[in-house]
Amino acid sequence: IIFVIIYILLFLRRVKKEKGPEKINRCIEILGLKPGAPQEEVNQAYRDLVNVWHPDRFVGNPRLQKKAEEKVKEINGAYETIKSFYLKT
């Protein structure tokens, strides 16, 4: 658990330090997209990843459920960043 917390803190610190194109590129990578992907593709990638990693799928295994919660937070953050980028352009 300590390692997971440290990993999350390091990841969040890395994401906060990233600015502009670096942050967008990291978010595109998280969602498994190619640069310049259309909004529809971003939405579909987000839905697919949330379906795969949704914590309710791992109810019987608390360790995997916690991991899924962290992954969904990462996916949500990436999606929100990309979505706001598309709204600005």
Side-chain angles (χ1 to χ4, degrees):
I1 294 177
I2 293 172
F3 293 114
V4 172
I5 293 170
I6 291 171
Y7 173 79
I8 292 170
L9 291 175
L10 291 174
F11 173 78
L12 291 175
R13 182 186 299 168
R14 180 178 168 198
V15 170
K16 285 181 183 177
K17 287 183 180 178
E18 293 174 346
K19 303 265 190 229
E22 292 175 5
K23 188 172 186 177
I24 294 297
N25 288 337
R26 174 73 178 131
C27 293
I28 287 171
E29 181 183 313
I30 289 170
L31 294 180
L33 299 167
K34 293 179 183 174
Q39 182 68 40
E40 298 81 30
E41 194 174 328
V42 172
N43 294 341
Q44 188 61 50
Y46 169 74
R47 281 189 232 110
D48 291 347
L49 287 170
V50 169
N51 282 331
V52 169
W53 286 102
H54 198 282
D56 288 349
R57 294 186 65 219
F58 304 97
V59 173
N61 189 332
R63 182 183 62 82
L64 289 178
Q65 189 173 28
K66 182 71 174 165
K67 195 172 196 174
E69 288 171 1
E70 294 159 7
K71 187 70 173 173
V72 168
K73 285 179 187 176
E74 180 182 38
I75 292 165
N76 285 336
Y79 179 67
E80 289 301 320
T81 300
I82 291 175
K83 197 166 75 169
S84 68
F85 175 76
Y86 273 101
L87 291 176
K88 290 179 186 176
T89 58

Coordinates of all heavy atoms in Angstrom, one line a residue:
I1 N 0.8 -1.2 0.0 CA 0.0 0.0 0.0 C 0.9 1.3 0.0 O 0.6 2.2 -0.7 CB -1.0 0.0 1.2 CG1 -2.0 -1.1 1.1 CG2 -1.7 1.3 1.3 CD1 -2.9 -1.3 2.2
I2 N 1.9 1.2 0.7 CA 2.8 2.4 0.8 C 3.4 2.7 -0.6 O 3.5 3.8 -1.0 CB 4.0 2.2 1.8 CG1 3.3 2.1 3.2 CG2 5.0 3.3 1.8 CD1 4.3 1.7 4.3
F3 N 3.8 1.6 -1.3 CA 4.4 1.8 -2.6 C 3.3 2.4 -3.6 O 3.7 3.2 -4.4 CB 4.9 0.5 -3.2 CG 6.1 -0.1 -2.4 CD1 6.0 -1.2 -1.7 CD2 7.3 0.6 -2.4 CE1 7.1 -1.7 -1.0 CE2 8.4 0.2 -1.7 CZ 8.3 -1.0 -1.0
V4 N 2.1 2.0 -3.4 CA 1.0 2.5 -4.3 C 0.8 4.0 -4.0 O 0.7 4.8 -5.0 CB -0.3 1.7 -4.1 CG1 -1.4 2.4 -4.8 CG2 -0.1 0.3 -4.5
I5 N 0.8 4.4 -2.8 CA 0.7 5.8 -2.4 C 1.8 6.6 -2.9 O 1.6 7.7 -3.5 CB 0.5 5.9 -0.9 CG1 -0.8 5.3 -0.4 CG2 0.6 7.4 -0.5 CD1 -0.9 5.2 1.1
I6 N 3.0 6.1 -2.8 CA 4.2 6.8 -3.3 C 4.1 7.0 -4.8 O 4.4 8.0 -5.3 CB 5.5 6.1 -2.9 CG1 5.7 6.2 -1.3 CG2 6.7 6.6 -3.6 CD1 6.8 5.3 -0.8
Y7 N 3.7 5.9 -5.5 CA 3.6 5.9 -6.9 C 2.6 7.0 -7.3 O 2.8 7.8 -8.3 CB 3.2 4.5 -7.5 CG 2.8 4.6 -8.9 CD1 3.9 4.5 -9.9 CD2 1.5 4.6 -9.4 CE1 3.6 4.6 -11.2 CE2 1.3 4.6 -10.7 CZ 2.3 4.6 -11.7 OH 2.0 4.6 -13.0
I8 N 1.4 7.0 -6.7 CA 0.4 8.0 -7.0 C 0.9 9.4 -6.8 O 0.8 10.3 -7.6 CB -0.9 7.8 -6.2 CG1 -1.5 6.5 -6.6 CG2 -1.8 8.9 -6.3 CD1 -2.6 6.0 -5.7
L9 N 1.6 9.7 -5.7 CA 2.1 11.0 -5.4 C 3.2 11.4 -6.4 O 3.2 12.5 -6.9 CB 2.8 11.0 -4.0 CG 1.8 10.9 -2.8 CD1 2.5 10.8 -1.5 CD2 0.8 12.1 -2.8
L10 N 4.0 10.5 -6.8 CA 5.0 10.8 -7.8 C 4.4 11.1 -9.2 O 4.8 12.0 -9.9 CB 6.1 9.6 -8.0 CG 7.0 9.5 -6.8 CD1 7.9 8.2 -7.0 CD2 7.9 10.7 -6.6
F11 N 3.3 10.3 -9.5 CA 2.6 10.5 -10.8 C 2.0 11.9 -10.7 O 2.1 12.6 -11.7 CB 1.6 9.4 -11.0 CG 0.7 9.7 -12.2 CD1 1.2 9.5 -13.5 CD2 -0.5 10.2 -12.0 CE1 0.4 9.8 -14.6 CE2 -1.3 10.5 -13.1 CZ -0.8 10.3 -14.4
L12 N 1.3 12.2 -9.7 CA 0.6 13.5 -9.6 C 1.6 14.6 -9.7 O 1.3 15.7 -10.3 CB -0.2 13.6 -8.3 CG -1.5 12.7 -8.2 CD1 -2.1 12.7 -6.9 CD2 -2.4 13.0 -9.3
R13 N 2.7 14.5 -9.0 CA 3.7 15.5 -9.1 C 4.2 15.7 -10.5 O 4.4 16.8 -11.0 CB 4.9 15.2 -8.2 CG 6.0 16.3 -8.2 CD 7.2 16.0 -7.4 NE 6.9 15.7 -6.0 CZ 7.8 15.2 -5.2 NH1 9.0 14.8 -5.7 NH2 7.5 14.9 -4.0
R14 N 4.4 14.6 -11.2 CA 4.9 14.6 -12.6 C 3.9 15.3 -13.5 O 4.2 16.1 -14.3 CB 5.1 13.2 -13.1 CG 5.6 13.1 -14.5 CD 5.9 11.7 -14.9 NE 6.1 11.7 -16.3 CZ 6.0 10.6 -17.0 NH1 5.8 9.4 -16.5 NH2 6.2 10.6 -18.3
V15 N 2.6 14.9 -13.3 CA 1.5 15.5 -14.1 C 1.4 17.0 -13.8 O 1.2 17.8 -14.8 CB 0.2 14.8 -13.9 CG1 -1.0 15.6 -14.5 CG2 0.3 13.4 -14.4
K16 N 1.5 17.5 -12.6 CA 1.4 18.9 -12.3 C 2.5 19.7 -12.9 O 2.4 20.8 -13.2 CB 1.4 19.1 -10.7 CG 0.1 18.7 -10.1 CD 0.1 18.9 -8.6 CE -1.2 18.4 -8.0 NZ -1.2 18.6 -6.6
K17 N 3.7 19.1 -12.9 CA 4.9 19.8 -13.5 C 4.8 19.9 -15.0 O 5.3 20.8 -15.6 CB 6.2 19.0 -13.1 CG 6.6 19.2 -11.7 CD 7.9 18.5 -11.5 CE 8.3 18.6 -10.0 NZ 9.6 17.9 -9.8
E18 N 4.1 19.0 -15.6 CA 4.0 19.0 -17.1 C 3.1 20.2 -17.5 O 2.1 20.4 -16.9 CB 3.4 17.7 -17.6 CG 4.4 16.5 -17.4 CD 3.7 15.2 -17.8 OE1 2.5 15.1 -18.0 OE2 4.5 14.2 -17.9
K19 N 3.5 20.8 -18.5 CA 2.8 22.0 -19.0 C 2.5 21.8 -20.5 O 3.3 21.1 -21.2 CB 3.6 23.3 -18.8 CG 4.0 23.5 -17.4 CD 3.0 24.4 -16.7 CE 3.6 24.9 -15.4 NZ 2.7 24.7 -14.3
G20 N 1.5 22.4 -21.0 CA 1.2 22.5 -22.4 C 1.3 21.2 -23.1 O 0.6 20.2 -22.8
P21 N 2.1 21.1 -24.2 CA 2.2 19.9 -25.0 C 2.6 18.7 -24.3 O 2.1 17.6 -24.6 CB 3.2 20.3 -26.1 CG 3.3 21.8 -26.0 CD 2.9 22.2 -24.7
E22 N 3.5 18.8 -23.3 CA 3.9 17.6 -22.5 C 2.7 17.0 -21.8 O 2.6 15.8 -21.8 CB 5.0 18.0 -21.5 CG 6.3 18.4 -22.1 CD 7.3 18.9 -21.1 OE1 7.0 18.8 -19.9 OE2 8.3 19.4 -21.4
K23 N 1.9 17.8 -21.2 CA 0.8 17.3 -20.5 C -0.2 16.7 -21.4 O -0.8 15.6 -21.1 CB 0.1 18.4 -19.6 CG -1.0 17.9 -18.7 CD -1.4 19.0 -17.8 CE -2.4 18.5 -16.8 NZ -2.8 19.5 -15.8
I24 N -0.5 17.3 -22.5 CA -1.5 16.8 -23.5 C -0.9 15.4 -24.0 O -1.7 14.5 -24.2 CB -1.7 17.8 -24.6 CG1 -2.4 19.0 -24.1 CG2 -2.5 17.1 -25.8 CD1 -3.8 18.8 -23.6
N25 N 0.4 15.4 -24.4 CA 0.9 14.1 -24.9 C 0.8 13.0 -23.9 O 0.5 11.9 -24.2 CB 2.4 14.4 -25.3 CG 2.5 15.2 -26.6 OD1 1.6 15.3 -27.4 ND2 3.6 15.8 -26.7
R26 N 1.0 13.3 -22.6 CA 0.9 12.3 -21.5 C -0.5 11.8 -21.5 O -0.8 10.6 -21.3 CB 1.4 12.9 -20.2 CG 1.2 12.0 -19.0 CD 2.2 10.8 -19.0 NE 1.9 10.0 -17.8 CZ 1.8 8.7 -17.8 NH1 1.9 8.1 -18.9 NH2 1.5 8.1 -16.7
C27 N -1.5 12.7 -21.6 CA -2.9 12.3 -21.5 C -3.3 11.5 -22.7 O -4.0 10.6 -22.6 CB -3.7 13.6 -21.4 SG -3.5 14.5 -19.8
I28 N -2.8 11.9 -23.9 CA -3.1 11.1 -25.1 C -2.5 9.7 -24.9 O -3.2 8.7 -25.3 CB -2.4 11.8 -26.3 CG1 -3.3 13.0 -26.6 CG2 -2.4 10.9 -27.5 CD1 -2.6 13.9 -27.7
E29 N -1.3 9.6 -24.3 CA -0.7 8.3 -24.0 C -1.5 7.4 -23.1 O -1.7 6.2 -23.3 CB 0.7 8.5 -23.5 CG 1.5 7.2 -23.2 CD 2.8 7.6 -22.6 OE1 3.5 8.5 -23.1 OE2 3.2 7.0 -21.5
I30 N -2.0 8.1 -22.0 CA -2.9 7.4 -21.0 C -4.1 6.8 -21.7 O -4.5 5.6 -21.4 CB -3.2 8.3 -19.9 CG1 -2.0 8.6 -19.0 CG2 -4.3 7.7 -19.0 CD1 -2.2 9.8 -18.0
L31 N -4.7 7.5 -22.6 CA -5.9 7.1 -23.2 C -5.6 6.1 -24.4 O -6.6 5.6 -25.0 CB -6.8 8.2 -23.7 CG -7.4 9.1 -22.6 CD1 -8.2 10.2 -23.1 CD2 -8.2 8.3 -21.6
G32 N -4.4 6.0 -24.7 CA -4.0 5.1 -25.8 C -4.3 5.6 -27.2 O -4.7 4.8 -28.1
L33 N -4.2 6.9 -27.4 CA -4.6 7.6 -28.6 C -3.4 8.0 -29.4 O -2.3 8.0 -28.8 CB -5.5 8.8 -28.3 CG -6.8 8.5 -27.6 CD1 -7.4 9.8 -27.2 CD2 -7.7 7.8 -28.6
K34 N -3.6 8.3 -30.6 CA -2.5 8.9 -31.4 C -2.7 10.4 -31.4 O -3.9 10.9 -31.4 CB -2.6 8.4 -32.9 CG -2.3 7.0 -33.0 CD -2.4 6.5 -34.4 CE -2.1 5.0 -34.5 NZ -2.3 4.5 -35.8
P35 N -1.6 11.2 -31.5 CA -1.8 12.7 -31.5 C -2.7 13.1 -32.7 O -2.6 12.5 -33.8 CB -0.4 13.2 -31.7 CG 0.5 12.1 -31.1 CD -0.2 10.8 -31.4
G36 N -3.6 14.1 -32.4 CA -4.5 14.6 -33.4 C -5.8 13.7 -33.6 O -6.5 13.9 -34.5
A37 N -6.0 12.8 -32.6 CA -7.2 12.0 -32.7 C -8.4 12.9 -32.6 O -8.5 13.9 -31.8 CB -7.2 11.0 -31.5
P38 N -9.5 12.6 -33.3 CA -10.7 13.4 -33.3 C -11.4 13.2 -31.9 O -11.2 12.2 -31.2 CB -11.5 12.9 -34.4 CG -11.0 11.6 -34.8 CD -9.6 11.6 -34.3
Q39 N -12.3 14.2 -31.6 CA -13.0 14.1 -30.3 C -13.8 12.9 -30.1 O -13.9 12.3 -29.1 CB -13.9 15.4 -30.2 CG -14.7 15.5 -28.9 CD -13.8 15.7 -27.7 OE1 -12.9 16.5 -27.8 NE2 -14.1 15.1 -26.6
E40 N -14.4 12.4 -31.2 CA -15.2 11.1 -31.1 C -14.3 9.9 -30.7 O -14.7 9.1 -29.9 CB -15.8 10.8 -32.5 CG -16.8 11.8 -33.0 CD -16.2 13.0 -33.6 OE1 -15.1 12.9 -34.2 OE2 -16.7 14.1 -33.5
E41 N -13.1 9.9 -31.2 CA -12.2 8.8 -30.8 C -11.7 9.0 -29.4 O -11.6 8.0 -28.7 CB -10.9 8.9 -31.8 CG -10.1 7.6 -31.7 CD -9.0 7.7 -32.7 OE1 -9.2 8.2 -33.8 OE2 -7.9 7.1 -32.5
V42 N -11.5 10.2 -28.9 CA -11.2 10.5 -27.5 C -12.3 9.9 -26.6 O -12.1 9.2 -25.6 CB -10.9 12.0 -27.3 CG1 -10.8 12.2 -25.8 CG2 -9.7 12.4 -28.1
N43 N -13.5 10.3 -27.0 CA -14.7 9.9 -26.2 C -14.8 8.3 -26.1 O -15.0 7.8 -25.1 CB -16.0 10.4 -26.7 CG -16.1 11.9 -26.6 OD1 -15.4 12.5 -25.8 ND2 -16.9 12.6 -27.4
Q44 N -14.6 7.7 -27.3 CA -14.7 6.2 -27.3 C -13.6 5.6 -26.5 O -13.8 4.6 -25.8 CB -14.7 5.7 -28.8 CG -15.0 4.3 -28.9 CD -16.3 3.9 -28.4 OE1 -17.3 4.5 -28.8 NE2 -16.4 2.9 -27.5
A45 N -12.4 6.1 -26.6 CA -11.2 5.5 -25.9 C -11.5 5.7 -24.4 O -11.3 4.7 -23.6 CB -9.9 6.2 -26.2
Y46 N -12.1 6.8 -24.0 CA -12.4 7.0 -22.6 C -13.4 6.0 -22.1 O -13.2 5.4 -21.0 CB -12.9 8.5 -22.4 CG -13.5 8.7 -21.0 CD1 -12.7 8.8 -19.9 CD2 -14.9 8.8 -20.8 CE1 -13.2 9.1 -18.6 CE2 -15.4 9.0 -19.6 CZ -14.6 9.1 -18.5 OH -15.2 9.3 -17.3
R47 N -14.5 5.9 -22.8 CA -15.5 4.9 -22.4 C -15.0 3.5 -22.4 O -15.3 2.8 -21.4 CB -16.7 5.0 -23.4 CG -17.6 6.2 -23.2 CD -18.9 6.1 -24.1 NE -19.0 7.3 -24.8 CZ -18.8 7.5 -26.1 NH1 -18.5 6.5 -26.9 NH2 -18.9 8.7 -26.6
D48 N -14.2 3.1 -23.3 CA -13.6 1.8 -23.3 C -12.8 1.5 -22.1 O -12.9 0.5 -21.4 CB -12.8 1.5 -24.6 CG -13.6 1.4 -25.8 OD1 -14.9 1.3 -25.7 OD2 -13.0 1.5 -26.9
L49 N -11.9 2.5 -21.8 CA -11.0 2.3 -20.6 C -11.7 2.3 -19.3 O -11.4 1.5 -18.4 CB -9.9 3.4 -20.6 CG -8.8 3.2 -21.7 CD1 -8.0 4.5 -21.8 CD2 -8.0 2.0 -21.4
V50 N -12.8 3.1 -19.2 CA -13.5 3.1 -18.0 C -14.3 1.8 -17.8 O -14.4 1.3 -16.7 CB -14.5 4.4 -17.9 CG1 -15.5 4.2 -16.8 CG2 -13.7 5.6 -17.7
N51 N -14.8 1.3 -18.9 CA -15.5 0.0 -18.8 C -14.5 -1.1 -18.4 O -14.9 -2.0 -17.6 CB -16.1 -0.4 -20.1 CG -17.4 0.3 -20.4 OD1 -18.1 0.7 -19.5 ND2 -17.7 0.6 -21.6
V52 N -13.3 -1.1 -18.9 CA -12.3 -2.1 -18.5 C -11.9 -2.0 -17.1 O -11.7 -3.0 -16.4 CB -11.1 -2.0 -19.5 CG1 -9.9 -2.9 -19.0 CG2 -11.5 -2.4 -20.9
W53 N -11.6 -0.7 -16.7 CA -11.0 -0.5 -15.3 C -12.0 -0.1 -14.3 O -11.6 0.2 -13.1 CB -9.9 0.6 -15.4 CG -8.7 0.1 -16.1 CD1 -8.3 0.3 -17.4 CD2 -7.7 -0.7 -15.5 NE1 -7.1 -0.4 -17.6 CE2 -6.7 -1.0 -16.5 CE3 -7.6 -1.3 -14.2 CZ2 -5.6 -1.8 -16.2 CZ3 -6.4 -2.1 -14.0 CH2 -5.5 -2.3 -15.0
H54 N -13.3 -0.2 -14.5 CA -14.3 0.2 -13.5 C -14.1 -0.6 -12.2 O -14.1 -1.8 -12.3 CB -15.7 0.1 -14.0 CG -16.7 0.9 -13.2 ND1 -17.1 0.5 -12.0 CD2 -17.2 2.2 -13.5 CE1 -17.9 1.5 -11.6 NE2 -18.0 2.5 -12.4
P55 N -14.0 0.0 -11.1 CA -13.8 -0.7 -9.8 C -14.8 -1.7 -9.4 O -14.6 -2.7 -8.8 CB -13.7 0.4 -8.8 CG -13.3 1.7 -9.5 CD -13.9 1.5 -10.9
D56 N -16.1 -1.5 -9.9 CA -17.1 -2.4 -9.6 C -16.9 -3.8 -10.2 O -17.5 -4.8 -9.8 CB -18.5 -1.9 -10.1 CG -19.0 -0.7 -9.2 OD1 -18.4 -0.4 -8.1 OD2 -19.9 0.0 -9.6
R57 N -16.1 -3.9 -11.2 CA -15.7 -5.2 -11.8 C -14.9 -6.0 -10.9 O -14.7 -7.2 -11.1 CB -15.0 -5.0 -13.1 CG -15.9 -4.3 -14.2 CD -15.3 -4.3 -15.5 NE -15.1 -5.6 -16.0 CZ -14.0 -6.0 -16.7 NH1 -13.0 -5.2 -17.0 NH2 -13.9 -7.3 -17.1
F58 N -14.3 -5.4 -9.9 CA -13.3 -6.1 -9.0 C -13.8 -6.1 -7.6 O -13.0 -6.1 -6.6 CB -11.9 -5.4 -9.1 CG -11.4 -5.3 -10.5 CD1 -11.6 -4.1 -11.2 CD2 -10.8 -6.3 -11.1 CE1 -11.1 -4.0 -12.5 CE2 -10.3 -6.2 -12.4 CZ -10.4 -5.1 -13.1
V59 N -15.1 -6.3 -7.4 CA -15.7 -6.2 -6.0 C -15.1 -7.4 -5.1 O -14.8 -7.2 -4.0 CB -17.2 -6.3 -6.1 CG1 -17.8 -6.5 -4.7 CG2 -17.8 -5.1 -6.8
G60 N -14.8 -8.5 -5.7 CA -14.3 -9.6 -4.9 C -12.9 -9.6 -4.5 O -12.4 -10.4 -3.7
N61 N -12.1 -8.6 -5.1 CA -10.7 -8.5 -4.8 C -10.3 -7.1 -4.4 O -10.2 -6.2 -5.3 CB -9.9 -9.0 -6.1 CG -8.4 -9.1 -5.8 OD1 -7.9 -8.4 -4.9 ND2 -7.8 -10.0 -6.6
P62 N -10.2 -6.8 -3.1 CA -10.0 -5.4 -2.7 C -8.7 -4.8 -3.3 O -8.6 -3.6 -3.6 CB -9.9 -5.5 -1.2 CG -10.6 -6.8 -0.8 CD -10.4 -7.7 -2.0
R63 N -7.7 -5.6 -3.4 CA -6.4 -5.1 -4.0 C -6.6 -4.6 -5.4 O -6.2 -3.5 -5.8 CB -5.3 -6.2 -3.9 CG -4.0 -5.7 -4.4 CD -3.0 -6.9 -4.4 NE -3.3 -8.0 -5.3 CZ -3.1 -8.0 -6.6 NH1 -2.5 -7.0 -7.1 NH2 -3.4 -9.0 -7.3
L64 N -7.2 -5.4 -6.2 CA -7.5 -5.0 -7.6 C -8.5 -3.9 -7.7 O -8.4 -3.0 -8.6 CB -8.0 -6.2 -8.4 CG -6.9 -7.3 -8.7 CD1 -7.6 -8.4 -9.5 CD2 -5.8 -6.7 -9.5
Q65 N -9.4 -3.9 -6.8 CA -10.4 -2.8 -6.8 C -9.7 -1.4 -6.5 O -10.0 -0.4 -7.2 CB -11.5 -3.0 -5.7 CG -12.7 -2.1 -5.8 CD -13.8 -2.4 -4.9 OE1 -13.6 -3.1 -3.9 NE2 -15.0 -2.0 -5.3
K66 N -8.8 -1.4 -5.6 CA -8.0 -0.2 -5.3 C -7.2 0.2 -6.5 O -7.2 1.4 -6.8 CB -7.2 -0.5 -4.0 CG -6.4 0.7 -3.6 CD -7.3 1.7 -3.0 CE -6.4 2.9 -2.4 NZ -7.2 4.0 -2.1
K67 N -6.6 -0.7 -7.1 CA -5.8 -0.5 -8.3 C -6.7 0.1 -9.4 O -6.3 1.1 -10.1 CB -5.1 -1.7 -8.8 CG -4.0 -1.5 -9.7 CD -3.3 -2.9 -10.0 CE -1.9 -2.6 -10.6 NZ -1.1 -3.8 -10.7
A68 N -7.8 -0.4 -9.6 CA -8.8 0.0 -10.6 C -9.2 1.5 -10.3 O -9.4 2.3 -11.2 CB -10.0 -0.9 -10.7
E69 N -9.5 1.8 -9.0 CA -9.9 3.1 -8.6 C -8.8 4.1 -9.0 O -9.1 5.2 -9.5 CB -10.1 3.2 -7.1 CG -11.4 2.5 -6.7 CD -11.5 2.4 -5.1 OE1 -10.6 2.9 -4.4 OE2 -12.5 1.8 -4.7
E70 N -7.5 3.8 -8.8 CA -6.4 4.7 -9.1 C -6.3 4.8 -10.6 O -6.1 5.9 -11.1 CB -5.1 4.1 -8.5 CG -5.1 4.1 -7.0 CD -4.1 3.1 -6.5 OE1 -3.3 2.5 -7.2 OE2 -4.1 3.0 -5.2
K71 N -6.5 3.7 -11.3 CA -6.4 3.8 -12.8 C -7.6 4.7 -13.4 O -7.3 5.5 -14.3 CB -6.5 2.4 -13.4 CG -6.3 2.3 -14.8 CD -4.8 2.6 -15.2 CE -4.6 2.3 -16.7 NZ -3.3 2.8 -17.1
V72 N -8.8 4.5 -12.8 CA -9.9 5.3 -13.3 C -9.7 6.8 -13.0 O -10.0 7.7 -13.8 CB -11.2 4.8 -12.7 CG1 -12.4 5.8 -13.0 CG2 -11.6 3.5 -13.3
K73 N -9.1 7.1 -11.9 CA -8.7 8.5 -11.6 C -7.8 9.1 -12.6 O -7.9 10.2 -13.1 CB -8.1 8.6 -10.2 CG -9.1 8.5 -9.0 CD -8.5 8.6 -7.7 CE -9.4 8.3 -6.6 NZ -8.7 8.3 -5.3
E74 N -6.8 8.3 -12.9 CA -5.8 8.7 -13.9 C -6.5 8.9 -15.3 O -6.3 9.9 -16.0 CB -4.7 7.6 -14.1 CG -3.6 7.9 -15.1 CD -2.6 6.8 -15.1 OE1 -3.0 5.6 -15.1 OE2 -1.4 7.1 -15.3
I75 N -7.4 8.0 -15.7 CA -8.1 8.1 -16.9 C -9.0 9.3 -17.0 O -9.0 10.0 -17.9 CB -8.9 6.8 -17.2 CG1 -8.0 5.6 -17.4 CG2 -9.9 6.9 -18.3 CD1 -8.6 4.2 -17.3
N76 N -9.7 9.5 -15.9 CA -10.6 10.7 -15.8 C -9.8 12.0 -15.9 O -10.2 12.9 -16.6 CB -11.4 10.7 -14.5 CG -12.5 9.7 -14.5 OD1 -13.0 9.3 -15.5 ND2 -12.9 9.2 -13.3
G77 N -8.7 12.1 -15.2 CA -7.8 13.3 -15.3 C -7.4 13.5 -16.7 O -7.4 14.7 -17.2
A78 N -6.9 12.5 -17.4 CA -6.4 12.6 -18.8 C -7.6 13.0 -19.7 O -7.4 13.9 -20.5 CB -5.9 11.3 -19.2
Y79 N -8.7 12.4 -19.5 CA -9.9 12.8 -20.3 C -10.3 14.2 -20.1 O -10.6 15.0 -21.1 CB -11.0 11.8 -20.0 CG -12.3 12.1 -20.8 CD1 -12.3 11.9 -22.2 CD2 -13.5 12.6 -20.2 CE1 -13.5 12.2 -22.9 CE2 -14.6 12.8 -20.9 CZ -14.6 12.7 -22.3 OH -15.7 12.9 -23.0
E80 N -10.4 14.7 -18.9 CA -10.7 16.1 -18.6 C -9.7 17.0 -19.2 O -10.1 18.1 -19.7 CB -10.9 16.3 -17.1 CG -12.1 15.6 -16.5 CD -13.4 16.1 -17.1 OE1 -13.6 17.3 -17.4 OE2 -14.3 15.2 -17.3
T81 N -8.5 16.7 -19.1 CA -7.4 17.6 -19.7 C -7.6 17.7 -21.2 O -7.5 18.8 -21.8 CB -6.0 17.1 -19.3 OG1 -5.9 17.0 -17.9 CG2 -4.9 17.9 -19.9
I82 N -7.8 16.5 -21.8 CA -7.9 16.6 -23.3 C -9.2 17.3 -23.7 O -9.2 18.0 -24.7 CB -7.9 15.1 -23.9 CG1 -6.4 14.6 -23.7 CG2 -8.3 15.1 -25.3 CD1 -6.3 13.1 -24.1
K83 N -10.3 17.0 -23.0 CA -11.5 17.6 -23.3 C -11.4 19.2 -23.2 O -11.9 19.9 -24.1 CB -12.6 17.1 -22.3 CG -14.0 17.4 -22.8 CD -15.0 16.5 -22.0 CE -15.2 17.1 -20.6 NZ -16.4 16.5 -19.9
S84 N -10.8 19.6 -22.1 CA -10.6 21.1 -22.0 C -9.7 21.7 -23.1 O -9.9 22.8 -23.6 CB -10.1 21.5 -20.6 OG -8.7 21.0 -20.5
F85 N -8.7 20.9 -23.5 CA -7.9 21.3 -24.6 C -8.7 21.4 -25.9 O -8.5 22.4 -26.7 CB -6.7 20.3 -24.8 CG -5.9 20.5 -26.0 CD1 -4.9 21.5 -25.9 CD2 -6.0 19.8 -27.2 CE1 -4.1 21.8 -27.0 CE2 -5.2 20.1 -28.3 CZ -4.2 21.1 -28.2
Y86 N -9.6 20.5 -26.2 CA -10.4 20.6 -27.4 C -11.4 21.8 -27.3 O -11.7 22.4 -28.3 CB -11.2 19.3 -27.6 CG -10.5 18.2 -28.4 CD1 -9.9 17.1 -27.7 CD2 -10.4 18.3 -29.7 CE1 -9.2 16.2 -28.4 CE2 -9.7 17.3 -30.5 CZ -9.1 16.3 -29.8 OH -8.4 15.3 -30.5
L87 N -11.8 22.1 -26.1 CA -12.7 23.2 -26.0 C -12.0 24.5 -26.2 O -12.6 25.5 -26.7 CB -13.4 23.2 -24.6 CG -14.4 22.1 -24.3 CD1 -14.8 22.2 -22.8 CD2 -15.6 22.2 -25.2
K88 N -10.7 24.6 -25.9 CA -9.9 25.8 -26.1 C -9.6 26.0 -27.6 O -9.4 27.2 -28.0 CB -8.6 25.8 -25.3 CG -8.8 25.9 -23.8 CD -7.5 25.8 -23.1 CE -7.6 25.7 -21.6 NZ -6.4 25.5 -20.9
T89 N -9.5 25.0 -28.3 CA -9.1 25.1 -29.7 C -10.3 25.2 -30.7 O -11.4 25.0 -30.4 CB -8.2 23.9 -30.2 OG1 -9.0 22.7 -30.0 CG2 -6.9 23.9 -29.5

